[in-house]
Amino acid sequence: MTMRPRDDIDAQILRELTKNARIPLVTLGNRVRLSRNAVKQRIERLERDGVIEGYTLVRGSDADTHDRPISAVLFVYRTDRMRGADVLATLAEVPEVIRCDILTGDYDLFVLLEARSVERIKEVWESIAAIPGVKNTVTSLSLSTTIRHSPPAGD
């Protein structure tokens, strides 16, 4: 079970780490008005309590574009949107599926894919389209990323 920050200082620390996980402890301490050691102890407690589950790297636009994954969005229509749990279970097993949302409206599922190549996106799309219970798909490839925000702290 993920715990919540204990107080406003924890929430401030989380906001600052979300903006820059490599912020020096001294700088972070100055921003939240605590000593370096007190900030370090709070971060360690937040990690132990499961409030902070990990840190990630976001590649900049100057990074080698050959190493960047290709992104695609699939909108999936299921044969039976109320009893389509088997489709969700199958999608959960696909490593290139990094997000799947159940939608209201015309589409049943929003599926975000990331893969090493367009060819791999095509293979994954073909396998998803062949899942029993999938009626149809609409797919779009991402040409470039112009805005990428981290989720707000506390969500």
Side-chain angles (χ1 to χ4, degrees):
M1 177 170 107
T2 302
M3 305 294 289
R4 296 216 177 268
R6 289 187 182 171
D7 57 24
D8 288 341
I9 294 174
D10 282 357
Q12 284 179 281
I13 290 170
L14 289 172
R15 278 193 298 277
E16 292 296 329
L17 288 174
T18 300
K19 290 182 208 170
N20 178 8
R22 293 182 49 143
I23 187 172
L25 292 176
V26 171
T27 305
L28 182 54
N30 288 336
R31 290 187 184 169
V32 299
R33 293 185 170 90
L34 289 176
S35 70
R36 175 197 176 283
N37 287 337
V39 168
K40 184 175 187 277
Q41 289 174 350
R42 280 180 177 256
I43 291 171
E44 288 170 350
R45 178 184 39 79
L46 290 167
E47 290 170 344
R48 273 192 318 274
D49 290 350
V51 176
I52 297 174
E53 291 184 354
Y55 300 87
T56 189
L57 176 117
V58 177
R59 294 181 65 137
S61 60
D62 291 340
D64 183 7
T65 56
H66 298 296
D67 290 340
R68 254 191 262 152
I70 306 294
S71 297
V73 173
L74 269 74
F75 291 98
V76 177
Y77 296 93
R78 293 178 289 176
T79 306
D80 186 345
R81 61 187 338 180
M82 298 308 291
R83 294 181 192 89
D86 51 335
V87 173
L88 295 172
T90 304
L91 288 173
E93 300 296 319
V94 179
E96 289 83 1
V97 173
I98 61 168
R99 179 176 173 174
C100 179
D101 295 350
I102 297 173
L103 302 176
T104 63
D106 293 336
Y107 304 106
D108 297 330
L109 303 174
F110 166 89
V111 180
L112 183 57
L113 301 175
E114 283 190 358
R116 67 186 181 284
S117 66
V118 174
E119 292 77 21
R120 182 63 186 147
I121 292 284
K122 181 179 179 279
E123 292 170 4
V124 172
W125 164 73
E126 287 173 343
S127 70
I128 290 172
I131 296 171
V134 171
K135 183 176 181 180
N136 197 4
T137 63
V138 175
T139 307
S140 293
L141 286 174
S142 172
L143 299 176
S144 66
T145 301
T146 58
I147 300 171
R148 184 176 192 125
H149 295 287
S150 297
D155 283 355

